[in-house]
């Protein structure tokens, strides 16, 4: 969790990753290679099953490059449905397989760390 001493920032609603489907359009925001903010577009290409007891991942073909980790994966309703966290990159660069931690898992972690309940997706609309 990160605390930023700033004023006038708007919160992106935390969406419902459980309603995300393969084929949904998404955008990924990040700061790859420290070049400044970037926004890339793509689709949800898979909902990856948990491996070794971990959470499932939202897989996207939106370019997620080194340095984008921690940025939001946003659906077309403007809701964060995931947190960009990894790429599958055999040669070290983006090949179109990015992974995001689902917002359901991010919500649980944020609530556990902060001790506060976050509003659900339907409560923010």
């Amino acid at each position: 969790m990160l605390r930023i001493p700033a004023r006038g920032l708007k919160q992106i609603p935390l969406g419902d990753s459980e309603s995300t489907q393969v084929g949904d359009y998404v955008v990924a925001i990040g700061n790859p290679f420290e070049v400044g903010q970037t926004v890339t577009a793509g689709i949800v290409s898979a909902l990856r099953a948990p491996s070794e007891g971990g959470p499932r991942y939202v897989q996207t073909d939106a370019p997620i490059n080194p340095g984008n980790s921690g940025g939001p994966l946003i659906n077309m309703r403007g809701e964060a449905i995931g947190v960009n966290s990894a790429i599958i990159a055999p040669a070290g660069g983006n090949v179109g397989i990015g992974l995001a931690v689902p917002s359901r898992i991010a919500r649980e972690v944020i609530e556990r760390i902060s001790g506060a309940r976050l509003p659900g997706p339907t409560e923010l609309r």
Side-chain angles (χ1 to χ4, degrees):
M1 186 158 39
L2 186 45
R3 183 171 295 216
I4 301 172
R7 298 184 194 280
L9 299 178
K10 289 193 174 188
Q11 177 180 329
I12 294 175
L14 197 54
D16 180 11
S17 57
E18 297 301 302
S19 65
T20 300
Q21 298 181 21
V22 172
D24 286 353
Y25 287 98
V26 291
V27 295
I29 297 177
N31 181 16
F33 310 110
E34 298 183 26
V35 298
Q37 182 175 320
T38 63
V39 179
T40 58
I43 63 166
V44 172
S45 53
L47 298 170
R48 296 175 65 94
S51 61
E52 299 181 21
R56 77 175 188 154
Y57 283 91
V58 178
Q59 179 179 311
T60 181
D61 70 344
I64 295 174
N65 294 293
N68 276 37
S69 293
L73 185 66
I74 302 172
N75 64 19
M76 293 296 101
R77 290 184 298 280
E79 302 165 332
I81 57 152
V83 179
N84 302 324
S85 59
I87 58 174
I88 297 175
N94 181 290
V95 294
I97 304 174
L99 303 173
V101 173
S103 61
R104 179 182 63 81
I105 302 298
R107 175 185 303 280
E108 290 173 9
V109 170
I110 293 166
E111 288 178 347
R112 192 172 304 147
I113 290 171
S114 70
R117 183 189 166 282
L118 299 177
T122 57
E123 295 174 286
L124 293 174
R125 291 187 186 146

